[in-house]
Amino acid sequence: MSELVFARLGEAPVPYQQGWDLQKRVHADRVGDRIPDTVLVLEHEPVYTAGKRTGPWDRPLTDPGAPVVDIDRGGKLTWHGPGQLTVYPIVRLRDPIDVVAYVRMLEEAVIRTLAEFGLEGMRVESRTGVWLAADPDRGLQERKIAAIGCRIARGVGMHGFALNCANDLAWFDRIVPCGITDAGVTTLSAELGRDVAVAEAVPVVERHLAAVLGATGYRCRERVPEPEPTREPEPAGA
């Protein structure tokens, strides 16, 4: 992979529809090779997103206090919102495309990030995302700290992962997150006993994501790369 561009979309939470529309535009530009591999880095306004495996029994029975949006990624129902770092890698994958291997790379980026914060992230068989092990001495069951849900279209990825930094976990109490009933959800702040803002996690995640994707380098920008202008063919000489 060549150089990776991280587009940081600012501190203000982005409405989900706005972010999804931007994803689709950036994806189309990457498919057309008009921009480099680009990663959108943001926080969302509160929203529940329902992946393609979401069943009727997964949906909240009462108003959860935020919109529920059906989208085209894999997985089930989850939440995004302030205090959660959401990362959308819109990158071209190598042939032959191995979706499972790609998901494992995203998990690895999160696991390495957690290690820098002094936490041991892990994978759980038959479940996506990144987890912390149960701690019976503290009365804690296995708990999920990062959710992953991707889609690959025309060789380019979209959607991605969300790392819980300092978000309000009460939002997850209103649903069965990712369809999992026998485990909990946590944040960096809850585990470390101090406030870990999204801004603190961003550079760590970017560095490890670039490494696991095999980028030759990376740079950060405050906006999305603009497509290269289409050049008109030069007229043939007389």
Side-chain angles (χ1 to χ4, degrees):
M1 177 179 288
S2 58
E3 187 178 53
L4 198 59
V5 175
F6 288 93
R8 298 176 178 177
L9 302 188
E11 296 181 2
V14 176
Y16 189 79
Q17 189 62 52
Q18 179 182 329
W20 194 13
D21 289 344
L22 179 59
Q23 270 199 83
K24 288 183 280 190
R25 178 173 71 78
V26 173
H27 182 270
D29 286 336
R30 184 66 192 97
V31 167
D33 285 325
R34 294 184 289 273
I35 61 171
D37 287 322
T38 300
V39 183
L40 305 181
V41 180
L42 67 150
E43 295 174 64
H44 275 302
E45 292 183 354
V47 65
Y48 294 97
T49 62
K52 292 185 289 185
R53 292 180 54 237
T54 303
W57 51 87
D58 296 313
R59 297 176 183 273
L61 298 177
T62 59
D63 181 4
V68 178
V69 181
D70 289 278
I71 58 174
D72 57 359
R73 62 162 170 78
K76 294 191 175 185
L77 189 70
T78 194
W79 175 88
H80 298 298
Q84 183 191 68
L85 171 56
T86 303
V87 180
Y88 297 134
I90 303 177
V91 299
R92 186 176 299 282
L93 303 184
R94 297 173 182 168
D95 287 325
I97 292 173
D98 185 336
V99 177
V100 173
Y102 176 60
V103 169
R104 295 292 174 262
M105 285 191 285
L106 300 184
E107 291 171 346
E108 182 63 24
V110 175
I111 289 170
R112 295 183 187 184
T113 296
L114 295 178
E116 284 208 27
F117 284 95
L119 297 174
E120 186 176 351
M122 67 177 190
R123 299 177 177 89
V124 174
E125 188 176 355
S126 77
R127 293 176 173 175
T128 59
V130 177
W131 299 75
L132 300 181
D135 187 344
D137 292 339
R138 296 168 58 201
L140 296 174
Q141 59 184 338
E142 282 184 353
R143 53 223 182 273
K144 192 171 192 175
I145 196 166
I148 295 178
C150 304
R151 179 176 181 238
I152 312 300
R154 300 178 67 185
V156 175
M158 60 190 307
H159 302 293
F161 64 91
L163 172 63
N164 296 331
C165 296
N167 43 291
D168 182 356
L169 291 174
W171 288 102
F172 292 103
D173 294 338
R174 305 170 195 180
I175 61 169
V176 179
C178 303
I180 295 166
T181 59
D182 58 347
V185 183
T186 191
T187 66
L188 282 172
S189 297
E191 295 298 325
L192 297 177
R194 67 175 180 87
D195 185 57
V196 181
V198 165
E200 183 178 349
V202 164
V204 185
V205 167
E206 289 174 343
R207 175 160 40 85
H208 288 301
L209 182 60
V212 300
L213 292 178
T216 57
Y218 70 95
R219 54 197 166 100
C220 305
R221 304 174 59 167
E222 300 303 320
R223 58 186 179 85
V224 176
E226 294 294 330
E228 293 290 334
T230 303
R231 295 184 178 180
E232 296 293 333
E234 296 183 3

